[in-house]
Amino acid sequence: MSVVKMELPSPFPRVEQKASLNPERIRCARETAGLSKVQLAESLGVTSRTVANYEEVGAPVSQAAVLADALQVMPSFFSVSPHAPLIEDLSEGQVWFRSLRKSTVRQRRSAVGHGRNALLFFKWIEDHFRLPECDLPFADSAGMRPDLAATMLRAILGYGENPLPEMTSLAEAHGIRLFSLPTVGREVDAFSFMFDGVPYIAVDTSKTAERVRFDIAHEIGHLMMHEMVSEDVAVAGTRDIEGEAHSFAANLLMPKRRVLGMVPTHASVSQILAAKRYFKVSAMAMARRAYELGRLSEWEYRQACSELTVQGYKNGEPRGLRPEQSKVFRFVADTNRQKGISVSTVSEETGLVPKELHGLSFGNIWAVTGGNVLCW
């Protein structure tokens, strides 16, 4: 007698798991691109409900190319490696914006998106290069008065009351990850944040070198004094957070005793300009500092600002400093070029298009062909 083996259907049917693109990365890319869900849906030719599903449970892998094209990233951006930073953890509430009131919610979300992209770029750099660790006393200066925090930092840096050197190089040398803003710099101005214990500062390189120096000092002030400040306090306005960071930057770049020693009472515009060149700050910032320290009366300060405006110092710095350059990104670019590592390789491994890498790196990627290919 033959025995027939019968297979009964399983009470627990097996569900085929289809690979999908990371939903958080889709949302991050959309916010960086400055698009709403409706706008992305129109670009893709789908419904807004479909885009919402993409950001909730992921999109089919077959959609990687069209999503990448619409959101200006590489298809690899949507596939997250186990060692990639959790960029979705960086939220708007963790970021200190230089011009919070002048920017829209969408502009700030786009700026945060570029900050997330910077995390990916720096992760790639740290996988191949050794960057300085942060040695600044952020934990010890939380809640400190701006002038005291600036004095403490000056003592640690070892410059006494002398003018500080290039702020870009100084920040990088002490472990701050500095990057430039690709497209939204003028709206948000500058911003900073801590991520996994590492400080990051974004700057708008379309501004004068003097103003970029002040922005970096301003953001260092946020990182030193406000890391423990809750978002509720900042939003409620119970503390003048921006005013504290501004005061820190003024004290850091223009120390009180040296300013009083250089700028006389009732200082002339020519004397203010001499001091501004000495401290490597903008003329308007120097005039403001002279007024705050009692070297100019309110009327004299207004007159000085009017004369400086006539001379072109309100929106620029005639015969000013040359733009500061990032030594980190320059070294990375030079080394990659020498080793034959192409931008396309970095682009594929980070998930960021060459244009974005160019924008984040102080322009250390430059175009050499007509095919929209950027090279070191």
Side-chain angles (χ1 to χ4, degrees):
M1 183 177 67
S2 61
V3 178
V4 179
K5 184 178 180 181
M6 299 180 60
E7 290 192 13
L8 298 176
S10 170
F12 306 105
R14 182 178 178 181
V15 178
E16 292 289 335
Q17 295 292 330
K18 295 183 179 180
S20 62
L21 306 179
N22 184 280
E24 292 284 2
R25 286 290 184 90
I26 296 172
R27 176 184 61 81
C28 289
R30 177 181 60 78
E31 291 181 348
T32 306
L35 298 177
S36 67
K37 292 179 182 178
V38 172
Q39 289 172 321
L40 178 56
E42 291 174 351
S43 175
L44 298 175
V46 299
T47 66
S48 56
R49 179 65 255 178
T50 298
V51 171
N53 287 336
Y54 286 174
E55 296 187 7
E56 291 171 8
V57 298
V61 173
S62 60
Q63 289 293 95
V66 284
L67 276 169
D69 184 62
L71 299 174
Q72 291 298 290
V73 294
M74 300 293 291
S76 59
F77 181 86
F78 304 115
S79 301
V80 182
S81 71
H83 305 294
L86 298 176
I87 62 172
E88 64 274 11
D89 287 352
L90 179 63
S91 66
E92 188 180 335
Q94 297 170 262
V95 175
W96 296 108
F97 286 104
R98 183 85 165 85
S99 296
L100 181 63
R101 295 192 179 114
K102 292 193 294 185
S103 57
T104 66
V105 171
R106 187 171 295 185
Q107 287 167 343
R108 292 194 295 274
R109 286 180 179 172
S110 179
V112 172
H114 289 295
R116 295 176 183 133
N117 289 348
L119 294 176
L120 295 174
F121 198 0
F122 275 109
K123 177 62 169 64
W124 187 93
I125 292 172
E126 290 169 354
D127 284 344
H128 298 82
F129 301 85
R130 179 176 295 178
L131 297 182
E133 293 185 5
C134 183
D135 59 1
L136 299 181
F138 292 148
D140 300 330
S141 54
M144 190 177 286
R145 227 172 59 197
D147 58 333
L148 296 179
T151 299
M152 180 181 73
L153 182 57
R154 272 191 158 269
I156 291 171
L157 296 175
Y159 286 95
E161 295 184 351
N162 295 317
L164 294 181
E166 288 193 354
M167 290 299 294
T168 301
S169 299
L170 190 66
E172 290 179 334
H174 288 275
I176 294 176
R177 307 298 186 247
L178 208 64
F179 62 97
S180 51
L181 278 170
T183 57
V184 293
R186 293 182 183 179
E187 290 83 8
V188 301
D189 211 0
F191 63 86
S192 57
F193 59 89
M194 296 286 289
F195 191 86
D196 285 345
V198 179
Y200 293 82
I201 294 178
V203 296
D204 171 17
T205 54
S206 69
K207 300 168 74 173
T208 66
E210 289 85 353
R211 283 170 167 78
V212 170
R213 283 171 58 81
F214 198 93
D215 282 352
I216 294 173
H218 180 103
E219 297 306 325
I220 291 175
H222 278 312
L223 293 168
M224 288 191 66
M225 298 182 297
H226 302 141
E227 178 60 17
M228 304 305 293
V229 174
S230 69
E231 184 180 356
D232 292 339
V233 171
V235 172
T238 54
R239 282 176 60 181
D240 184 5
I241 300 298
E242 287 302 306
E244 290 177 8
H246 185 93
S247 177
F248 173 91
N251 278 279
L252 184 68
L253 294 175
M254 298 168 281
K256 179 178 179 179
R257 290 205 308 174
R258 185 60 59 89
V259 172
L260 293 177
M262 286 194 63
V263 181
T265 305
H266 312 301
S268 66
V269 167
S270 62
Q271 289 169 323
I272 291 172
L273 290 175
K276 98 110 183 163
R277 288 189 287 270
Y278 177 80
F279 290 110
K280 304 176 184 177
V281 296
S282 71
M284 291 297 189
M286 192 70 249
R288 179 72 185 179
R289 185 67 169 152
Y291 166 65
E292 290 172 342
L293 295 178
R295 289 314 200 209
L296 296 175
S297 67
E298 184 175 350
W299 182 86
E300 290 169 333
Y301 172 58
R302 290 181 179 179
Q303 289 296 108
C305 288
S306 296
E307 188 172 337
L308 290 170
T309 298
V310 171
Q311 295 185 31
Y313 284 99
K314 182 175 182 178
N315 298 314
E317 296 297 322
R319 301 174 297 282
L321 299 172
R322 291 184 301 176
E324 297 182 359
Q325 299 295 318
S326 165
K327 291 186 177 179
V328 168
F329 285 113
R330 184 70 263 161
F331 180 77
V332 170
D334 289 344
T335 303
N336 283 353
R337 185 174 59 252
Q338 293 165 9
K339 292 186 175 182
I341 301 174
S342 69
V343 173
S344 60
T345 297
V346 183
S347 187
E348 182 63 33
E349 293 181 358
T350 59
L352 307 176
V353 295
K355 182 180 178 182
E356 180 75 358
L357 297 175
H358 178 87
L360 294 170
S361 65
F362 292 81
N364 276 291
I365 301 173
W366 40 276
V368 294
T369 73
N372 296 323
V373 178
L374 295 169
C375 300
W376 300 110

